[in-house]
Amino acid sequence: MPSAAVIVDVPTMQTNFPYSYAIPPELQAQLQPGMRVVVPFGSGNRQVEGFVVGLQDDDSKHQADDLKPITRLMDLTPVVNQELLALSDWLSQRTYSFRISCLLTMLPNVMKAKYQTTVAPVPPVQNQWLAKVFADQQELPLDQAHFTNREVARLTELRNQGQVQVHYHVKNQAKRKTEVAVVNQITDFSRCAAEIRKNATGQQALLRQLEQQPKTPLRQRELTKVPGISAAVIKTFADRGWVRKVTVEQYRNPYDQPRHPDQPQPLTPDQQRAVTPINKAIRDQQSTVFLLEGVTGSGKTEVYLQTIQQALDQDEQALMLVPEIALTPQMVTRVKNRFGDQVAILHSGLSNGEKYDEWRRINAGAAQVVVGARSAVFAPLPKVGLIILDEEHDPSYKQSDNPRYHTRDVAIWRAQYHHCPVVLGSATPSLESRARAEKGRYQLLRLPHRINQQQLPAIQIVDMTASSERYGDLVSQELVTAIQSTLTRKEQVVLLLNRRGFSSFMLCRDCGYVLKCPHCDISLTMHLDSQTMKCHYCGFETAIPNECPQCHSRHIRYFGTGTEKAEQQLQRLIPKARILRMDVDTTRKKGAHQRILSQFGDQQADILLGTQMIAKGLDFPNVTLVGVLNADTGLDLPDFRASERTFDLLTQVAGRAGRAEKAGQVIIQTFNPQHYAIQLAQQQDYEAFFRKEMQIRHLAGYSPYYFTAQITVSALVEKDAAQESYRILQLLQQNLAQTTEVLGPTPNPIARIKNRYYYQIIIKYKHDEQLAPTLTRVQAISQKEVRKGLRIAIDSDPVNFM
DNA sequence: AGCACGCCGACT
DNA sequence: GTCGGCGTGCTC
């Protein structure tokens, strides 16, 4: 008796394995691994979504007759292929998360089922209350909106008496749109042409269209755009049997822009030295990992495009991952211009429906190139020939909630599966990747020169501890002068200030009170445009006080400068400058990103002032000055990667200057002018930074010399989080190897967020056989404790310690 | 997650 | 004595 192995949508430790279900005879022919099904689960036979991960001919553990049958199919074809099924298994072990969570993150959001429980009275209805509640309704949803807890208890009682029935509904949210298309049935076009009257221009036009593309279904909506072709013309053809009407899936096209086809550009010798080995690996089906270390402006993108072409030439597909695609519309345009409609785009800026459409195009084999952010690494391409991870050091490649995967790891796994190379590209590779290249595990390719012999911009450091008072603490005289002369030359300026809002905290000068978020251990930031004090962690907002909430003194002051205040001050210093501000607050609305950038690109502003979102990938030829208002914001964070992040950010933003024929200039303002991260960013010497930082990591015993794992415990009561973390500490100490070091528990740098108290434990290890089984035990414990409001998060390779 | 079973305190 | 509180275990 055949049965199906099903992973059910019940994310718990105790259900984290496949359950066997009987396959009803009518489903036996259709059912395949990778399809979603609805299955009865638990005592009430409540209906849940599940993924078929395998089929068995007989089941030794269970007699066929004690298996429950699959209720129904949710898909007609598999939504997870064999590769991704295997990947989900590896991923769940690697990240200590549930298999169902892994499967669901590989798919667009809309494919997660929605559940609804309803209740219906069983006729004849005798109970008066029941009759009154239901009146003429057949059934009602069993939720808070319809029934109070007391009423639910009453319903339970009536159900036990058989007067009420409970129904479980599983709703597939994914709705596909269809449209009408016609398929050509003509074989002899000249004979048909003879049959059409000379003055029937519409019919002639349609015939020409069919002749051009006799094999593909043509969408009616597109066809009727052709002059002369109308619905009536199409109907005439259908009546004659010349075309057949079919319905095809309709896809929303999120980047429906006119295309300017471009051709491969001639390569510099550097680029050629990179392209050759990558293309060879693609041809030879080698799963080599290349680290492409190229300074900003060295032409990495052209290397990507020409290697993608190699994969396409072999009838294979290419996957290109970028940090957050909304930030680099220029990159999307370049790829689309080169490869046209075979490109699919997946990123967080798309609506759920748009993501689903792009995903289906990929799954149907209609896309050959996928460009996308983190989750696009799961794009269901059947035969991958190349995977590119641009800006491979970017922290957004790490998912911060379950499953806590790193895109780089998944990319490498998939490359091994497909026997294809991975290209990790960056101007400032992560220390981990660069170290692997050093050891020969990755193959290092370097692009040390900018294309067209452009000079790297000259970088000047301004020591803000010695800055003149006249200009305040925000902008130095050097920067103001440089901005002014840039504007006189009719060139543009990019300014980075990695802090949003107006002022970062409010302080009472009489009693020393600092206004904090009531839900988090963090001071509230003042925002002038919304006239509120905001918490950047939980979103709490309150009015701006005009007296101290504690002592009612009116001597309150606001300290710290964010982008809002910087904009105001700059405007005062340079009244004629047209300033555009770009941060989370000005880009919240859909498309705002693009609008600000194109305004700046069209020279409608002189200065683009923003947070780190302006550091990446922007390419404006008229920008000749880049200023960093405060290089220190990230430097003193309690994170061993603080220097690396600062170096990356400064290098990245400096690269925005002088990208065309005009020379660029960069001014970095800092209170730590001697710090090596800032010094070496000034020299734009990544290799020197790498060596220096490696020494420091070696001494401190951090990545890449040691692996790290992190356990975070949180609870509503601080004592609970602390106690539990000490219990886990004990478990770790009793089980882990002697050489493994366990740090903590310590309260998180921000000890409370959204009313939860956080404690963390850091594990540093080199080789520890016991680590995986021990963390699995921690995972099991977390399952039990979750009922008491405790949450335990395991991160097998954290990138962020805040 | 949701449901049943089972063991302790407040009530008709 | 029973009703119902929620702590614990199980779901093919």
Side-chain angles (χ1 to χ4, degrees):
Chain A
M1 194 61 181
S3 64
V6 177
I7 297 284
V8 292
D9 181 19
V10 181
T12 68
M13 197 66 187
Q14 298 100 312
T15 54
N16 193 26
F17 59 89
Y19 282 77
S20 299
Y21 282 89
I23 308 170
E26 68 275 19
L27 297 182
Q28 268 171 24
Q30 307 159 54
L31 192 70
Q32 290 174 56
M35 286 180 174
R36 292 173 306 154
V37 289
V38 177
V39 291
F41 197 71
S43 54
N45 276 340
R46 111 193 126 89
Q47 302 293 306
V48 298
E49 179 185 35
F51 286 79
V52 178
V53 296
L55 301 175
Q56 298 132 342
D57 271 342
D58 56 32
D59 193 325
S60 47
K61 277 195 189 139
H62 289 274
Q63 296 291 324
D65 46 320
D66 53 53
L67 294 183
K68 293 180 182 178
I70 290 171
T71 308
R72 62 186 169 87
L73 301 184
M74 289 179 76
D75 300 300
L76 299 176
T77 53
V79 294
V80 184
N81 60 30
Q82 285 295 338
E83 180 207 355
L84 295 178
L85 279 177
L87 175 57
S88 72
D89 192 24
W90 172 80
L91 195 62
S92 70
Q93 289 176 40
R94 168 81 227 239
T95 63
Y96 305 95
S97 46
F98 306 124
R99 184 97 187 262
I100 185 68
S101 316
C102 295
L103 286 162
L104 287 170
T105 38
M106 299 194 308
L107 297 174
N109 275 336
V110 289
M111 293 176 80
K112 175 159 175 55
K114 274 240 167 86
Y115 297 102
Q116 194 186 38
T117 306
T118 59
V119 281
V122 178
V125 183
Q126 280 153 3
N127 183 296
Q128 291 207 343
W129 174 73
L130 212 55
K132 190 170 141 246
V133 167
F134 281 85
D136 51 349
Q137 312 260 24
Q138 288 283 320
E139 59 177 5
L140 287 170
L142 185 64
D143 57 24
Q144 298 255 304
H146 292 83
F147 296 99
T148 64
N149 283 347
R150 181 146 302 188
E151 287 168 335
V152 171
R154 213 160 164 185
L155 285 168
T156 310
E157 195 181 320
L158 289 166
R159 185 177 81 144
N160 293 339
Q161 295 166 15
Q163 296 193 52
V164 164
Q165 260 192 329
V166 178
H167 297 291
Y168 299 94
H169 305 271
V170 180
K171 280 191 200 145
N172 192 353
Q173 298 178 73
K175 290 200 179 63
R176 52 192 69 196
K177 287 189 180 167
T178 57
E179 61 183 317
V180 179
V182 295
V183 180
N184 172 48
Q185 304 289 308
I186 303 170
T187 44
D188 186 351
F189 281 95
S190 50
R191 214 194 67 217
C192 292
E195 282 184 35
I196 299 173
R197 287 211 313 264
K198 287 282 176 298
N199 60 353
T201 50
Q203 293 190 31
Q204 284 169 8
L206 179 53
L207 192 69
R208 273 195 299 275
Q209 293 293 320
L210 293 171
E211 199 169 1
Q212 275 168 27
Q213 291 171 285
K215 296 249 166 69
T216 43
L218 302 174
R219 287 150 203 270
Q220 178 154 343
R221 211 159 46 98
E222 295 296 318
L223 274 179
T224 49
K225 283 182 190 161
V226 178
I229 301 182
S230 63
V233 173
I234 294 170
K235 188 170 183 305
T236 312
F237 271 46
D239 291 344
R240 289 185 195 153
W242 291 359
V243 296
R244 190 166 49 88
K245 287 201 175 188
V246 293
T247 54
V248 294
E249 290 191 15
Q250 178 194 331
Y251 304 120
R252 284 150 277 209
N253 188 349
Y255 280 87
D256 204 1
Q257 295 165 344
R259 182 183 163 212
H260 309 283
D262 82 335
Q263 294 300 316
Q265 291 160 22
L267 297 174
T268 65
D270 282 346
Q271 286 174 320
Q272 191 60 59
R273 274 193 291 276
V275 167
T276 305
I278 298 170
N279 280 355
K280 183 172 188 314
I282 298 172
R283 279 195 304 271
D284 297 349
Q285 318 251 306
Q286 295 287 321
S287 55
T288 315
V289 180
F290 293 97
L291 178 62
L292 180 62
E293 181 190 322
V295 297
T296 53
S298 61
K300 287 191 287 291
T301 309
E302 190 59 31
V303 172
Y304 300 154
L305 296 178
Q306 296 204 13
T307 51
I308 289 172
Q309 187 62 55
Q310 173 67 35
L312 298 183
D313 290 346
Q314 289 176 213
D315 283 330
E316 294 179 332
Q317 295 102 39
L319 180 53
M320 177 166 166
L321 300 156
V322 293
E324 201 21 273
I325 206 154
L327 305 183
T328 58
Q330 288 165 334
M331 172 74 86
V332 172
T333 311
R334 271 190 83 177
V335 181
K336 279 233 158 184
N337 283 349
R338 185 70 58 89
F339 301 112
D341 289 339
Q342 20 173 16
V343 180
I345 312 287
L346 285 173
H347 71 91
S348 59
L350 302 183
S351 72
N352 280 339
E354 287 169 336
K355 272 186 215 159
Y356 177 53
D357 286 355
E358 288 290 85
W359 181 89
R360 276 186 300 142
R361 274 184 64 207
I362 300 163
N363 205 32
Q368 302 306 310
V369 181
V370 173
V371 182
R374 186 175 61 223
S375 62
V377 75
F378 299 111
L381 293 168
K383 184 72 197 89
V384 182
L386 171 68
I387 303 178
I388 292 163
L389 208 73
D390 187 33
E391 310 273 358
E392 69 92 29
H393 63 280
D394 195 280
S396 75
Y397 280 128
K398 174 72 191 223
Q399 174 143 314
S400 56
D401 43 51
N402 275 326
R404 295 167 207 273
Y405 66 90
H406 199 295
T407 310
R408 195 194 296 131
D409 299 337
V410 178
I412 292 171
W413 188 97
R414 292 197 69 183
Q416 278 166 359
Y417 185 94
H418 286 280
H419 307 288
C420 77
V422 177
V423 176
L424 307 175
S426 178
T428 54
S430 64
L431 257 73
E432 288 78 2
S433 294
R434 184 60 186 79
R436 279 180 198 148
E438 193 83 352
K439 288 179 110 181
R441 287 187 50 201
Y442 297 170
Q443 188 175 333
L444 185 63
L445 304 170
R446 296 184 66 198
L447 302 176
H449 308 109
R450 286 191 147 187
I451 46 176
N452 309 330
Q453 283 84 49
Q454 282 162 12
Q455 289 296 303
L456 281 167
I459 300 184
Q460 183 188 349
I461 290 180
V462 176
D463 181 358
M464 292 302 278
T465 56
S467 163
S468 96
E469 274 300 305
R470 193 155 63 90
Y471 289 95
D473 54 4
L474 177 70
V475 225
S476 59
Q477 188 176 349
E478 289 91 332
L479 185 54
V480 174
T481 313
I483 294 173
Q484 277 164 338
S485 67
T486 307
L487 298 196
T488 333
R489 293 195 306 271
K490 301 264 183 262
E491 293 168 355
Q492 289 171 295
V493 182
V494 164
L495 293 179
L496 173 82
L497 177 61
N498 209 358
R499 196 187 273 157
R500 62 194 186 94
F502 192 84
S503 294
S504 39
F505 63 98
M506 182 226 95
L507 176 83
C508 171
R509 293 210 286 179
D510 284 345
C511 72
Y513 179 83
V514 172
L515 187 60
K516 283 186 153 187
C517 174
H519 312 297
C520 311
D521 270 358
I522 197 91
S523 58
L524 292 175
T525 302
M526 175 180 161
H527 283 251
L528 216 54
D529 33 5
S530 58
Q531 288 289 317
T532 52
M533 303 294 294
K534 278 189 197 169
C535 173
H536 287 181
Y537 283 81
C538 75
F540 173 84
E541 285 184 50
T542 183
I544 300 172
N546 41 32
E547 58 173 43
C548 172
Q550 185 167 277
C551 72
H552 303 291
S553 155
R554 299 187 74 87
H555 289 155
I556 53 174
R557 265 199 68 182
Y558 293 89
F559 290 89
T561 303
T563 43
E564 277 187 30
K565 189 159 147 194
E567 182 182 13
Q568 212 178 70
Q569 288 194 14
L570 270 170
Q571 198 68 78
R572 208 173 299 146
L573 286 167
I574 311 167
K576 66 174 199 296
R578 296 166 301 166
I579 306 172
L580 267 178
R581 178 162 64 91
M582 185 161 155
D583 52 31
V584 177
D585 305 293
T586 61
T587 54
R588 194 158 283 138
K589 277 190 228 136
K590 197 177 175 177
H593 246 286
Q594 184 92 45
R595 199 172 53 246
I596 293 176
L597 292 180
S598 52
Q599 269 180 38
F600 190 65
D602 294 346
Q603 321 272 325
Q604 291 172 39
D606 307 304
I607 300 176
L608 180 66
L609 164 70
T611 52
Q612 58 185 337
M613 66 172 71
I614 61 166
K616 208 149 279 169
L618 307 183
D619 194 352
F620 295 113
N622 200 36
V623 172
T624 53
L625 173 66
V626 165
V628 179
L629 297 182
N630 185 351
D632 309 307
T633 33
L635 212 48
D636 39 36
L637 296 178
D639 187 324
F640 72 83
R641 289 193 179 90
S643 298
E644 187 181 353
R645 297 260 166 77
T646 302
F647 180 86
D648 291 352
L649 183 64
L650 294 179
T651 308
Q652 217 74 237
V653 74
R656 301 308 116 217
R659 291 185 71 93
E661 59 277 358
K662 295 168 197 159
Q665 180 191 4
V666 178
I667 295 179
I668 295 175
Q669 301 186 156
T670 175
F671 289 94
N672 296 289
Q674 297 308 316
H675 195 285
Y676 67 95
I678 288 167
Q679 290 276 322
L680 293 171
Q682 179 193 23
Q683 295 159 28
Q684 301 188 64
D685 192 344
Y686 170 79
E687 287 292 320
F689 176 78
F690 168 67
R691 313 239 165 256
K692 172 81 180 166
E693 184 69 10
M694 284 294 273
Q695 283 174 15
I696 292 171
R697 300 280 179 92
H698 185 61
L699 287 172
Y702 276 114
S703 172
Y705 291 96
Y706 281 83
F707 297 112
T708 47
Q710 179 193 43
I711 298 173
T712 308
V713 180
S714 76
L716 291 168
V717 180
E718 183 169 13
K719 178 173 65 68
D720 293 350
Q723 272 178 359
E724 185 60 29
S725 58
Y726 276 96
R727 279 180 45 200
I728 291 172
L729 174 69
Q730 263 193 354
L731 182 83
L732 296 175
Q733 283 171 339
Q734 284 163 11
N735 290 282
L736 296 182
Q738 288 290 310
T739 51
T740 297
E741 209 180 322
V742 183
L743 308 178
T746 47
N748 269 27
I750 298 166
R752 184 179 55 133
I753 296 170
K754 292 185 192 171
N755 286 323
R756 298 191 72 85
Y757 291 86
Y758 286 84
Y759 274 75
Q760 59 175 282
I761 297 172
I762 308 284
I763 302 165
K764 298 199 298 184
Y765 66 100
K766 277 199 164 159
H767 302 284
D768 193 338
E769 301 271 302
Q770 285 310 305
L771 185 79
T774 308
L775 289 184
T776 308
R777 278 179 64 187
V778 174
Q779 190 191 2
I781 292 170
S782 82
Q783 193 59 50
K784 286 195 174 143
E785 303 297 332
V786 82
R787 277 186 166 134
K788 300 175 197 160
L790 272 143
R791 284 184 210 155
I792 301 170
I794 304 170
D795 196 324
S796 60
D797 182 22
V799 298
N800 207 332
F801 293 88
M802 296 291 283

